[in-house]
Amino acid sequence: MDTEKKPLRADARRNYERLVEEAKRAFAAHGVEASLEEIARRAGVGIGTLYRHFPTREALVETVLREGYDAQAAVARELLGSSEPVDALKAWFAGMGEQATRYRGLPELMVDVLDDETSPLYASCHAMRDQVSHLVERAKASGELRADVTVHELLVLLHALSWASEHLSGDKSLERLLDLVFTGLRAS
């Protein structure tokens, strides 16, 4: 979805930035299903302005998440230099898990769009996925990670763990769940 866009006028740019900031606040308070009408109202614009900038909810969510996803892709590149490939992969998943649990409802949304090439989130997810795939392949090549594990399976597991840590009480922290999963993912 890399279509070239002309630069926004100053007032349109301010509206865009206010919409993104209000979306961050609304998603933090109410999850990714927060009212788009309320986001527009709090940004001081009409719903039509929101939809001109973000034609779908997923487009708005993608914009809000992009900075974090870009950071996680950079972390994956940095972790490639680690001497412990599986620990590096686990560290990346812990950071990504924090991203995935930042907004209520995000894990469900992410699983829904993992294979939906029409979703605005798809491109962002796959750019990050490309970076983490190098970590996965490195961990497999070291013999520490099961050879039959795919990046897609790991991302589905991550979103399932994120969902579980969001919905379950007790000792179900994401870190604890990741420990359990990575114990099972290690090659024998």
Side-chain angles (χ1 to χ4, degrees):
M1 301 193 89
D2 286 331
T3 58
E4 237 179 86
K5 294 180 182 179
K6 61 183 180 177
L8 295 174
R9 295 183 329 257
D11 61 331
R13 185 69 173 151
R14 282 190 301 275
N15 288 343
Y16 178 91
E17 290 168 357
R18 282 197 313 264
L19 284 164
V20 172
E21 288 308 310
E22 288 304 329
K24 288 177 183 177
R25 286 187 193 97
F27 294 162
H30 307 289
V32 294
E33 292 300 320
S35 166
L36 297 181
E37 289 82 5
E38 184 65 14
I39 291 169
R41 188 187 69 71
R42 288 183 175 269
V45 301
I47 191 68
T49 299
L50 183 145
Y51 281 119
R52 266 192 302 284
H53 289 291
F54 308 102
T56 65
R57 177 180 300 277
E58 288 176 8
L60 179 57
V61 171
E62 188 278 333
T63 300
V64 167
L65 296 177
R66 186 180 314 128
E67 183 178 301
Y69 282 0
D70 290 347
Q72 280 304 116
V75 167
R77 287 188 297 275
E78 289 172 22
L79 288 170
L80 279 172
S82 171
S83 62
E84 300 293 328
V86 172
D87 290 342
L89 183 61
K90 183 179 170 190
W92 184 86
F93 270 86
M96 191 58 218
E98 287 178 27
Q99 292 284 326
T101 57
R102 177 170 289 160
Y103 304 121
R104 189 175 64 251
L106 186 56
E108 294 95 325
L109 178 62
M110 297 311 294
V111 168
D112 288 345
V113 302
L114 275 177
D115 296 317
D116 180 3
E117 294 181 25
T118 65
S119 168
L121 286 163
Y122 181 86
S124 289
C125 289
H126 281 268
M128 186 180 44
R129 180 183 182 159
D130 290 344
Q131 292 302 316
V132 78
S133 68
H134 300 297
L135 287 174
V136 172
E137 292 308 315
R138 188 168 172 262
K140 285 181 183 183
S142 75
E144 294 180 53
L145 185 68
R146 289 175 50 162
D148 63 337
V149 174
T150 68
V151 174
H152 184 78
E153 290 169 333
L154 291 174
L155 290 172
V156 169
L157 276 172
L158 173 66
H159 293 302
L161 296 177
S162 298
W163 179 91
S165 70
E166 181 180 302
H167 289 84
L168 302 175
S169 59
D171 187 21
K172 301 296 186 261
S173 71
L174 185 60
E175 184 178 340
R176 168 79 176 136
L177 294 172
L178 278 171
D179 283 342
L180 292 170
V181 166
F182 271 84
T183 297
L185 289 172
R186 288 192 184 268
S188 300

